[in-house]
Amino acid sequence: GYLPARIVYMSEDGPEAMVQVELPGNWYDNTTLGNGAPGRNKSFVDEDDECVVDLTQYPNQELPVQNLEDDGTTIISYANMSRMKHLSEPAVLFNLKERLRLEMPYTRAATDVLISVNPMEFSGRIESLYEDELREEYCKKLVGMAPNGCYGGGHVANDGTSELEPHVFETSALAFQDLAHTGRDQSIIITGVSGSGKSEAAKFCLCNVVLMCATNFALEAEQSPDREAPPDADLPMFLMDSNPIFEAFGNSATVLNTNSSRFGKLTELLFAGAGTDTGESPRLVGANFSTYLLDTARVVGHGAKNERGYHIFYQLLASPKSYRRQLWEGTDRLDPSCFRYLGATNITEIENGSDEDHWYTTIAALETFGITEDELRTIMIALCIVLQLGNITIGNEKTSEDSMRSINTSAYDDLETLSKLMGVAYEDLNNAITRRTVQIGKNHTKLIQLMKGDVLDNRDSFAKMIYSLVFDWLVERINDYICPYEEGKFNTIRFLDYFGFEQNDRNQFETLAINYACEKMQCNMTDRLLKLESQYKAEGIIDGKQTFNTPSNSDILDLFERGHGLITVLTDESSRNSGSDSGFVFKIKNIHRNSPALVEEAGRVKRSALMASTKFSIRHSVGIVEYDGTNFIASNKNKLSEDLLNIGRSCTNKIISEGFTERAANIRAGLTQENEFLSAFSTELDGLISRLNDTKIRHIVCIRPNDVDAPKVMDQHSVLKQLRSANIFEGLLIERSAGSYCDSLSFGDILKQYICFYGGTSTNRSPKEIVRDLLGSFFDEENELAQFYKMGNERVFFSKDAIFRLEEQRQNLLGFSASTIQCFLRGVPCRSEYLKKRRAIILIQSCWRRHNALLYFNAYRDSAAAYEIEESSRCRSQMMEHESAVLIQGRWRIFWAKTCFNEGKHAASVIQKSFRAWCKRKSLTMSLHRLIHHAKMDVRIKNLLEQLPLSAANGSSDLAMESKETIVYMHEEMNKLRNSNLALQEQLSSEKGSIVRLKRNSSLRSERSEAHQIDVRKLNAKTQMLEAELRVSRKEAKQLQDKLQFSDLIANKRADELNLTYVKQISERDTDIACLRQQLSALQTKHNFEKSRLSGELEKGATTGKAEIAKLNERIESILAAHKDEVSQLLSSLEQMEHDRDDIKGKHESYESELKDMKEELDSSRNDYLEEVAQLQREFRKSTAADKMRIRELEDELHSTKSDLEQCKDDLRNNASDDVNFLRSALNKAHNDIRKSKLEMDALKASHELEKNKIRNEMKKKTAPCRRCTWQKSMTKAKARQKEKNRAIDSDSE
């Protein structure tokens, strides 16, 4: 280690110097060497000792200089070690030590590298470093805030790191800020040894970003109109609650750390809307957890008593007793030592919390992800199954010949309990653990009893697999809850919490895999440094002759990967049936005996010693690690027997059964490679590193200061080794040599991003000249040119302040341009609105002026035409009086005329009455006279008839007879005339009745014709309506035909797609079959080659003896059997593929038949539809034809009615002419009668005049008040009419 000292003198003879050690007062309290406690290592050096130092052991033969204050004793604490006055390895070491003493655990190293020294305590100032106020201060100064208050949307004027102390909040905030402004994916890699605080650093980084996103979600909810939170607002809670689950199921207590993470974890936060110039902050839309290399060896045991298994087992045993009894009675044993997998331990608290407290925390976190009741019980029972598996013990082997068959489980109760927990039969479980089923031929199997060691390995492998399935199920459940709601391309921030180098008392396969992963990550970091160094040299930023001696671990990776490396040899040895751990170690030592990474064994001479040993040592970056190769082959195979797989699939526990079923399906599909665990893990690491290299990487190097967990104490040897493994000093030297130019941009990127600052012309100029002018115009002063950037051959290297100044000016310019564009964009609608309002104002003003002018005009017109109005009113009143007088006169004349008419009418009626009475009297008189005359005539005729005999007696018989005959004849004629007269009178009355009936019929027929016309009009309207419906139905029929055609096209297209899919599947199956045939041929070739090689070896070794020949024969038979199994498996898989192909063809044919059926159904439905349309058309035609027939019938009926009316008119005319003739004759007779009665009328005239005068006098008396009322009514009507005329005149004037 390094000690602080003062130079006494420099030797002139050689590169030596005399120095005197000067230790600070608190040196022994803050320093330890090795594993000693602070204060106990004073013997390693004495203060004020003088010693000679060999300068050849130091760079440039110069002693490193301390960075001290002016007092010469106090070490200067640098937050950024690239700004140290004297940069050296001990200066870096003492700076970290001083900052640890001052409780400043974080220090900036090279660009984007932060050193985090574990303070080993969480109190005092250390606790205040993680308060929310400090975290928000880092976020506000480094990330910036949008106008709405969200993080990540604003612009940061400078990086702010000069005024802030280094912190993990700074690293995560800068990653979020870079993502928000550039849209480039970010990665934060946390590395360090076990116990250096990697998990806590990753937790604080994730917490910082998640809380910023939670603040953004809260602000969005407050600013939304409905105050509803966005759909992704629960993501921060899910991400925070995932930590207790990962710690419970993935962390355990080790010698170096009581809460050591035993798996690698990559956390990906997915963001949308990053890298836009809209000023909006990136929005967290989802996340994803990926885990790597769970240390399943920790499931089946741990080391000393100061270690433990995974925390969840101890939390389960510390859970409430009632809950444990519901799960399994075996959990009543509270002591972990009752379970062999847990064993005895001295650890009772983890991070100042009991297992019971952590149990409730874990259950609450599981409930966040919906794991309650049944699913929680399933998980806990799976853990109980793992614990109970560890209690299965195996009996001792017997020495008899039947020893292999005598091995069995000695604890019947434990196995019975396990079978009940798993829900499988006891015999099946016993056979699966202690025996192995071997296939003999095609139809026969045999159970082979396993050795004790193989049984224990079976048991442990089964327990490891169950716990791995539970862990994977939890990770998948968490990812289901935090996956994004929508698909798309998202920007990411990745947090990689990976393994640290491990060196235990016994280092097995898991330790080798962990250290290999650390070497891969270390190599990636070294390659980045070498690439940066070569870039600086190529661009002329640093001297090409300057070397930095960056250590590389390529020889270690060559040992693992190059040629027949460790991974290849282990894969080959695992593939061989006779492969062994010792054979693997022997091949490694033999093949790589010249590798500098493989430590040679002392005295390695004998071949038998090499073959017997299973231990080998590798020189890692942090030191030499010795590995025990026992069980390397079994661990790399990652394979369970088929019997155990069947037990897992038949288990009643859902997680276990589904996990084993999926694993078996993946093995059959080739997704899970057996015998290649380390090779697959190497491929997985390569993919992870490739994904990380596509992002902007920031490193957090965690340092474990000592191995005794003492605060403010540093083990200089251990810390120096960790710093050297992380290449911290080399990175600082490269950055220091480059002048702190941390960022670089190509000329094209500069012109693309900052061309807005260039005001010249770009014609006939190279990009370098344009960039030089652009940056020269931006940085005016010469000192700024040297301070902020440096031109290279193809790139420009900037300091961090320069990038921020450029970005600030660019953002200001873009902001000004955006505001200008926004002004114009906002001005267009504003101006249009202004012009619209201006036109409206002008219109309103013109209307108002018009209104005022109209008021003035109306007032002037009223005042000027007042005289005319008065005159017109007087004229109007006179006219009204005149009209009233005229009206009164007219009413009076009407009244008088009516009175005279009524008097005349009354007189006429009286005259008519008297005339009718006279006529009746006259007709009665005439009838009476006629009757008298007839009677007289009858009497005379009777007398004459009576006298005729007398006259005949007197001698005139002939005359008497003649007279008698004449009289009889005249009497008969007279009777005939009388009868004819009566018949004519009856006929006249009947004709009059028929005329009345004809008139009535004609009126009815006219009414009926009008009704028929109305019906005709209704039928015409109905016809038009039906025609419109016909047009609509035709249109709908056309649309349905189009839809039918479109559905036919879709069906044809779907059929084509299905055909293509089936053809593609068949081609893929054919390709798979061809590949399998190629593999089969290759295996046959390999089998023939192996057979020939072994036969050759058999011929060569024939002289060695029968025993060797027998061994070779057995080996040949085993190889033939193995290859036969493989060939049979390939043939069975080939038959299965052909069977699948036939199934696919059958499905294809069934799909084709279904498609034909669908087409036939479509055709039938189309025909049915066309028939329905035709039926509708026929019904419409029938209805229209019926309506037309009805119309024709109505027209015919109307025509017949018209002809009947014409006939009636003709009949009426004819009858009327006859009636007129008859009436004329009757009138003539009446005139004669009138003339005859004229005398009687003259006689009555005088009496009528007297009666008339009397009636007139009476009428005058009765009509006097009626005249007065009529005059009043006429006057009121005249006044109302005059008022209406006045209103009309006023309205016209307005």
Side-chain angles (χ1 to χ4, degrees):
Y2 293 99
L3 297 175
R6 179 177 59 84
I7 298 176
V8 178
Y9 70 89
M10 298 292 296
S11 175
E12 296 180 358
D13 298 334
E16 294 179 346
M18 177 68 73
V19 297
Q20 182 180 6
V21 177
E22 294 183 352
L23 300 179
N26 57 358
W27 175 265
Y28 295 106
D29 297 331
N30 299 329
T31 309
T32 181
L33 296 177
N35 294 325
R40 296 182 181 178
N41 44 20
K42 295 184 179 181
S43 60
F44 73 90
V45 67
D46 292 329
E47 194 171 358
D48 298 333
D49 280 355
E50 292 184 356
C51 58
V52 177
V53 178
D54 186 6
L55 297 180
T56 58
Q57 298 179 0
Y58 295 91
N60 300 325
Q61 297 184 1
E62 294 180 358
L63 289 174
V65 181
Q66 296 187 66
N67 296 289
L68 301 177
E69 297 284 357
D70 295 336
D71 57 3
T73 57
T74 306
I75 298 177
I76 301 175
S77 174
Y78 285 97
N80 190 346
M81 291 192 294
S82 63
R83 299 178 182 177
M84 295 175 68
K85 184 177 180 181
H86 305 290
L87 180 61
S88 60
E89 197 174 61
V92 172
L93 177 64
F94 284 112
N95 185 69
L96 295 177
K97 182 179 179 181
E98 179 66 16
R99 290 183 65 80
L100 179 63
R101 185 185 68 82
L102 298 175
E103 296 183 342
M104 298 178 181
Y106 301 111
T107 307
R108 299 186 190 96
T111 303
D112 298 328
V113 178
L114 179 71
I115 295 178
S116 172
V117 182
N118 192 349
M120 297 298 179
E121 64 177 355
F122 195 78
S123 61
R125 188 180 183 278
I126 299 297
E127 186 176 3
S128 65
L129 292 176
Y130 305 100
E131 295 178 350
D132 289 339
E133 292 79 5
L134 184 62
R135 184 189 61 79
E136 291 176 358
E137 182 181 359
Y138 276 91
C139 294
K140 290 178 181 177
K141 290 186 177 181
L142 298 178
V143 178
M145 303 183 74
N148 60 353
C150 295
Y151 289 111
H155 173 65
V156 183
N158 50 54
D159 60 350
T161 56
S162 59
E163 33 182 273
L164 294 173
E165 281 290 323
H167 206 290
V168 289
F169 292 157
E170 172 193 343
T171 304
S172 56
L174 288 176
F176 188 78
Q177 187 263 348
D178 199 1
L179 175 80
H181 289 83
T182 64
R184 185 180 179 184
D185 295 342
Q186 306 290 314
S187 294
I188 299 177
I189 302 177
I190 300 100
T191 58
V193 298
S194 180
S196 59
K198 300 188 302 297
S199 299
E200 293 297 320
K203 189 189 301 182
F204 284 123
C205 287
L206 178 65
C207 177
N208 187 25
V209 177
V210 167
L211 289 179
M212 282 192 286
C213 296
T215 304
N216 293 349
F217 284 135
L219 290 174
E220 288 181 12
E222 290 179 1
Q223 294 170 5
S224 62
D226 51 0
R227 297 282 181 174
E228 289 186 1
D232 301 321
D234 294 335
L235 280 175
M237 179 190 67
F238 290 141
L239 291 171
M240 298 299 290
D241 287 345
S242 64
N243 283 325
I245 299 175
F246 283 117
E247 289 184 0
F249 288 86
N251 290 16
S252 66
T254 63
V255 176
L256 300 176
N257 186 8
T258 58
N259 193 24
S260 176
S261 177
R262 307 309 300 164
F263 67 101
K265 181 175 68 173
L266 176 66
T267 305
E268 293 180 290
L269 301 183
L270 307 178
F271 293 88
T276 60
D277 294 330
T278 59
E280 296 180 358
S281 60
R283 187 169 178 271
L284 180 65
V285 296
N288 183 63
F289 288 108
S290 301
T291 57
Y292 302 92
L293 196 63
L294 178 67
D295 187 6
T296 53
R298 188 65 59 166
V299 176
V300 298
H302 54 82
K305 289 187 177 181
N306 54 353
E307 291 189 356
R308 292 202 321 181
Y310 287 107
H311 296 328
I312 187 62
F313 293 116
Y314 304 91
Q315 293 176 12
L316 176 60
L317 295 179
S319 62
K321 189 174 183 179
S322 59
Y323 180 78
R324 285 186 281 110
R325 284 185 176 178
Q326 293 177 2
L327 287 177
W328 178 41
E329 294 179 356
T331 54
D332 287 342
R333 295 170 283 184
L334 297 177
D335 189 4
S337 61
C338 297
F339 298 97
R340 288 183 174 85
Y341 279 167
L342 300 182
T345 179
N346 297 330
I347 300 174
T348 57
E349 290 187 355
I350 301 296
E351 294 184 349
N352 299 325
S354 64
D355 290 326
E356 184 178 1
D357 297 336
H358 289 301
W359 162 261
Y360 290 110
T361 304
T362 304
I363 294 302
L366 290 172
E367 289 178 354
T368 303
F369 294 95
I371 302 174
T372 58
E373 297 181 357
D374 294 341
E375 290 183 336
L376 181 62
R377 178 181 175 83
T378 303
I379 293 173
M380 296 307 160
I381 289 179
L383 297 178
C384 294
I385 291 172
V386 173
L387 293 177
Q388 184 62 19
L389 272 169
N391 289 342
I392 302 300
T393 57
I394 307 299
N396 295 324
E397 297 180 4
K398 295 181 180 180
T399 58
S400 62
E401 296 179 356
D402 202 19
S403 61
M404 292 182 64
R405 298 180 182 178
S406 64
I407 299 174
N408 203 340
T409 54
S410 61
Y412 175 84
D413 294 337
D414 290 333
L415 191 61
E416 182 69 23
T417 304
L418 179 62
S419 65
K420 290 180 180 179
L421 276 175
M422 296 186 68
V424 296
Y426 170 82
E427 292 296 332
D428 295 339
L429 182 60
N430 186 18
N431 292 334
I433 294 177
T434 61
R435 295 175 176 85
R436 180 167 62 91
T437 302
V438 178
Q439 186 77 24
I440 301 176
K442 291 184 179 181
N443 301 322
H444 300 283
T445 58
K446 182 180 180 181
L447 281 176
I448 299 178
Q449 185 72 40
L450 299 177
M451 301 293 289
K452 179 178 180 179
D454 295 335
V455 173
L456 295 177
D457 290 341
N458 257 3
R459 178 197 67 182
D460 294 343
S461 299
F462 195 46
K464 291 177 183 179
M465 183 59 67
I466 291 174
Y467 190 82
S468 178
L469 291 176
V470 172
F471 187 79
D472 293 340
W473 186 88
L474 287 171
V475 175
E476 185 177 357
R477 169 58 68 89
I478 293 172
N479 286 335
D480 289 341
Y481 267 73
I482 62 177
C483 66
Y485 289 98
E486 53 188 12
E487 297 181 357
K489 186 177 181 181
F490 304 110
N491 299 102
T492 60
I493 297 180
R494 297 184 175 96
F495 302 92
L496 179 61
D497 177 13
Y498 222 71
F499 314 99
F501 283 101
E502 289 194 359
Q503 186 174 5
N504 305 316
D505 296 336
R506 185 186 180 190
N507 301 293
Q508 294 183 328
F509 180 80
E510 289 79 8
T511 307
L512 177 72
I514 290 173
N515 290 341
Y516 167 64
C518 295
E519 293 291 351
K520 289 281 286 186
M521 302 304 297
Q522 178 64 33
C523 180
N524 182 48
M525 189 174 180
T526 303
D527 291 343
R528 291 180 66 246
L529 283 176
L530 294 175
K531 182 179 179 182
L532 184 63
E533 178 184 349
S534 62
Q535 187 181 38
Y536 281 148
K537 290 181 179 180
E539 295 292 333
I541 303 301
I542 59 178
D543 188 6
K545 298 180 181 180
Q546 186 176 0
T547 58
F548 299 97
N549 298 323
T550 303
S552 174
N553 61 346
S554 58
D555 53 348
I556 303 174
L557 292 181
D558 290 343
L559 174 64
F560 278 89
E561 300 174 351
R562 189 173 181 181
H564 291 281
L566 188 148
I567 297 175
T568 304
V569 173
L570 183 60
T571 303
D572 292 340
E573 196 71 14
S574 300
S575 302
R576 298 173 62 245
N577 291 332
S578 59
S580 62
D581 299 325
S582 58
F584 160 70
V585 175
F586 169 73
K587 289 181 180 179
I588 289 298
K589 292 179 179 179
N590 191 26
I591 294 173
H592 299 280
R593 57 181 176 270
N594 297 324
S595 173
L598 190 67
V599 180
E600 296 182 1
E601 294 183 356
R604 188 187 60 171
V605 179
K606 296 183 179 180
R607 183 181 182 90
S608 60
L610 285 175
M611 295 199 58
S613 175
T614 58
K615 295 183 179 180
F616 62 97
S617 300
I618 297 177
R619 185 177 285 103
H620 285 286
S621 300
V622 295
I624 297 175
V625 180
E626 183 181 11
Y627 295 99
D628 185 1
T630 305
N631 292 329
F632 265 43
I633 302 300
S635 299
N636 187 59
K637 283 184 177 181
N638 193 24
K639 180 180 179 181
L640 290 177
S641 65
E642 190 65 28
D643 301 323
L644 286 176
L645 288 176
N646 293 331
I647 289 293
R649 288 196 292 266
S650 60
C651 180
T652 57
N653 190 286
K654 186 177 180 181
I655 295 177
I656 297 175
S657 61
E658 290 181 355
F660 276 99
T661 303
E662 184 179 359
R663 177 177 174 81
N666 291 337
I667 292 173
R668 287 195 298 269
L671 300 177
T672 300
Q673 298 292 333
E674 297 182 347
N675 305 328
E676 298 181 1
F677 176 80
L678 195 59
S679 177
F681 181 58
S682 176
T683 305
E684 192 176 22
L685 283 177
D686 292 336
L688 174 62
I689 292 173
S690 176
R691 290 168 61 191
L692 294 175
N693 288 336
D694 294 336
T695 64
K696 170 71 174 177
I697 299 178
R698 288 177 168 82
H699 289 275
I700 298 178
V701 180
C702 297
I703 303 294
R704 181 181 176 86
N706 58 77
D707 295 336
V708 294
D709 296 343
K712 300 182 182 180
V713 176
M714 181 173 286
D715 182 356
Q716 293 188 172
H717 291 292
S718 175
V719 172
L720 192 61
K721 189 184 298 183
Q722 296 175 55
L723 292 174
R724 285 173 178 171
S725 67
N727 296 330
I728 297 298
F729 181 63
E730 288 76 12
L732 287 170
L733 283 179
I734 293 173
E735 184 173 341
R736 186 74 167 266
S737 301
S740 299
Y741 296 117
C742 58
D743 295 324
S744 66
L745 293 173
S746 64
F747 296 147
D749 293 337
I750 294 173
L751 292 177
K752 181 180 178 181
Q753 193 166 359
Y754 302 110
I755 193 63
C756 53
F757 297 132
Y758 183 64
T761 59
S762 58
T763 56
N764 299 326
R765 302 193 66 188
S766 64
K768 186 174 183 179
E769 293 176 352
I770 298 173
V771 170
R772 183 184 290 110
D773 293 343
L774 188 152
L775 297 177
S777 61
F778 187 82
F779 301 102
D780 295 333
E781 301 179 2
E782 294 182 357
N783 56 350
E784 290 187 351
L785 293 175
Q787 179 182 358
F788 290 107
Y789 74 95
K790 189 172 183 180
M791 297 283 294
N793 297 326
E794 299 292 337
R795 305 177 71 85
V796 179
F797 292 82
F798 296 94
S799 64
K800 189 174 292 186
D801 295 336
I803 288 291
F804 274 98
R805 287 187 62 178
L806 278 170
E807 193 63 29
E808 179 185 8
Q809 294 298 326
R810 176 175 172 270
Q811 291 293 334
N812 292 336
L813 183 59
L814 291 178
F816 176 75
S817 302
S819 61
T820 304
I821 295 171
Q822 289 174 357
C823 287
F824 281 105
L825 291 177
R826 292 171 184 157
V828 169
C830 291
R831 179 165 178 77
S832 62
E833 188 69 21
Y834 162 73
L835 294 175
K836 185 178 179 181
K837 290 180 180 179
R838 185 172 179 272
R839 287 193 294 269
I841 290 170
I842 293 172
L843 180 61
I844 292 169
Q845 290 175 351
S846 62
C847 292
W848 179 253
R849 293 191 188 97
R850 178 178 175 275
H851 175 68
N852 290 334
L854 285 174
L855 289 177
Y856 176 75
F857 172 74
N858 291 332
Y860 176 76
R861 185 182 62 181
D862 293 341
S863 62
Y867 177 75
E868 293 181 1
I869 293 171
E870 291 176 358
E871 186 177 358
S872 63
S873 63
R874 285 194 296 270
C875 293
R876 190 182 302 164
S877 62
Q878 292 176 2
M879 289 174 64
M880 289 174 61
E881 292 175 357
H882 178 68
E883 290 177 357
S884 300
V886 172
L887 181 62
I888 292 168
Q889 291 175 1
R891 294 292 182 181
W892 172 251
R893 292 191 184 97
I894 291 170
F895 172 73
W896 180 250
K898 285 183 178 181
T899 303
C900 294
F901 172 75
N902 289 329
E903 291 177 354
K905 183 178 180 181
H906 184 264
S909 61
V910 172
I911 293 168
Q912 289 175 357
K913 286 179 182 179
S914 59
F915 177 72
R916 290 191 189 96
W918 177 78
C919 290
K920 289 291 183 180
R921 285 194 299 272
K922 185 178 179 182
S923 60
L924 182 60
T925 305
M926 291 178 65
S927 299
L928 184 60
H929 290 314
R930 191 180 302 114
L931 289 175
I932 293 170
H933 178 68
H934 289 167
K936 288 180 178 181
M937 289 296 294
D938 292 334
V939 170
R940 286 179 67 189
I941 291 170
K942 186 177 180 182
N943 292 329
L944 287 174
L945 290 175
E946 290 179 353
Q947 290 176 6
L948 282 176
L950 295 178
S951 61
N954 291 328
S956 56
S957 59
D958 296 329
L959 179 62
M961 290 299 292
E962 184 177 0
S963 298
K964 185 178 180 179
E965 290 175 1
T966 301
I967 289 168
V968 172
Y969 174 76
M970 290 298 292
H971 188 265
E972 290 176 359
E973 288 295 328
M974 184 178 63
N975 289 330
K976 288 180 181 179
L977 287 174
R978 287 176 184 173
N979 293 328
S980 64
N981 189 12
L982 292 174
L984 287 173
Q985 288 179 358
E986 290 176 359
Q987 187 178 0
L988 179 62
S989 62
S990 64
E991 289 294 334
K992 288 180 180 180
S994 63
I995 289 169
V996 172
R997 284 195 299 273
L998 287 173
K999 287 181 179 180
R1000 189 181 297 112
N1001 290 332
S1002 64
S1003 62
L1004 290 174
R1005 288 182 181 277
S1006 62
E1007 291 176 358
R1008 190 179 298 171
S1009 64
E1010 291 177 358
H1012 286 321
Q1013 290 177 359
I1014 292 170
D1015 293 337
V1016 169
R1017 286 195 294 271
K1018 289 182 179 180
L1019 288 172
N1020 291 330
K1022 187 176 180 181
T1023 304
Q1024 294 176 359
M1025 188 186 304
L1026 289 173
E1027 289 177 353
E1029 290 178 358
L1030 179 61
R1031 289 193 295 271
V1032 172
S1033 62
R1034 287 176 178 173
K1035 187 175 180 181
E1036 291 178 353
K1038 186 177 180 181
Q1039 291 178 355
L1040 289 174
Q1041 288 178 357
D1042 296 337
K1043 288 182 180 178
L1044 188 61
Q1045 292 176 0
F1046 182 69
S1047 63
D1048 291 339
L1049 291 175
I1050 291 175
N1052 294 329
K1053 187 175 180 181
R1054 179 61 180 168
D1056 295 337
E1057 291 178 355
L1058 289 174
N1059 289 328
L1060 291 175
T1061 304
Y1062 300 146
V1063 170
K1064 186 176 179 181
Q1065 289 181 356
I1066 291 171
S1067 64
E1068 289 177 356
R1069 292 294 183 182
D1070 293 337
T1071 305
D1072 295 339
I1073 291 171
C1075 292
L1076 289 174
R1077 286 176 178 170
Q1078 291 178 0
Q1079 292 179 4
L1080 179 61
S1081 62
L1083 286 174
Q1084 289 176 352
T1085 305
K1086 184 178 178 181
H1087 165 66
N1088 295 329
F1089 176 75
E1090 192 73 17
K1091 184 177 180 181
S1092 61
R1093 185 177 64 81
L1094 290 176
S1095 62
E1097 289 181 0
L1098 183 62
E1099 291 176 357
K1100 290 179 182 180
T1103 58
T1104 59
K1106 293 181 180 180
E1108 196 72 26
I1109 292 171
K1111 290 182 180 179
L1112 288 174
N1113 287 329
E1114 291 177 358
R1115 189 175 180 184
I1116 290 169
E1117 289 176 358
S1118 63
I1119 291 171
L1120 288 173
H1123 286 303
K1124 284 181 180 178
D1125 294 337
E1126 294 179 357
V1127 169
S1128 62
Q1129 290 178 1
L1130 287 174
L1131 288 173
S1132 62
S1133 62
L1134 184 60
E1135 292 175 357
Q1136 183 66 29
M1137 294 293 289
E1138 291 178 351
H1139 181 66
D1140 294 341
R1141 181 181 177 183
D1142 296 335
D1143 292 340
I1144 290 172
K1145 286 183 178 179
K1147 290 181 181 178
H1148 179 63
E1149 292 175 357
S1150 64
Y1151 288 152
E1152 285 183 349
S1153 63
E1154 289 178 1
L1155 186 62
K1156 289 180 180 178
D1157 295 337
M1158 289 172 65
K1159 287 184 177 179
E1160 290 176 358
E1161 290 179 0
L1162 286 174
D1163 294 335
S1164 63
S1165 61
R1166 181 172 59 187
N1167 295 330
D1168 294 338
Y1169 172 73
L1170 293 175
E1171 289 178 0
E1172 290 179 0
V1173 172
Q1175 183 67 25
L1176 289 173
Q1177 290 178 353
R1178 287 194 295 271
E1179 291 179 356
F1180 181 74
R1181 292 192 189 97
K1182 288 180 181 178
S1183 62
T1184 52
D1187 293 336
K1188 289 180 180 179
M1189 291 295 293
R1190 180 62 178 167
I1191 289 168
R1192 291 194 189 95
E1193 291 176 358
L1194 291 173
E1195 288 178 352
D1196 296 336
E1197 188 176 356
L1198 182 62
H1199 183 68
S1200 63
T1201 305
K1202 288 181 180 180
S1203 62
D1204 292 338
L1205 287 174
E1206 293 293 333
Q1207 185 66 33
C1208 289
K1209 288 180 182 179
D1210 295 337
D1211 294 339
L1212 286 173
R1213 290 192 191 99
N1214 297 327
N1215 293 329
S1217 61
D1218 296 336
D1219 293 338
V1220 167
N1221 295 325
F1222 177 74
L1223 290 172
R1224 281 179 181 173
S1225 61
L1227 285 174
N1228 291 327
K1229 291 179 180 180
H1231 283 303
N1232 294 326
D1233 293 336
I1234 288 170
R1235 290 189 192 97
K1236 290 179 181 178
S1237 61
K1238 211 169 189 182
L1239 295 174
E1240 295 177 3
M1241 287 292 294
D1242 292 335
L1244 293 172
K1245 197 170 184 181
S1247 62
H1248 281 295
E1249 286 293 334
L1250 293 174
E1251 290 177 2
K1252 186 177 180 180
N1253 291 328
K1254 290 178 181 180
I1255 292 169
R1256 187 178 294 171
N1257 293 329
E1258 290 176 1
M1259 288 294 293
K1260 285 180 181 179
K1261 292 178 182 179
K1262 291 179 180 179
T1263 56
C1266 294
R1267 289 176 184 172
R1268 195 176 296 112
C1269 293
T1270 304
W1271 180 80
Q1272 289 177 356
K1273 291 180 181 179
S1274 62
M1275 287 299 292
T1276 54
K1277 289 182 180 179
K1279 288 180 180 179
R1281 199 177 294 112
Q1282 188 63 31
K1283 287 181 181 179
E1284 290 177 358
K1285 289 182 180 180
N1286 293 334
R1287 290 195 195 97
I1289 292 169
D1290 293 336
S1291 63
D1292 292 336
S1293 63
E1294 291 177 0

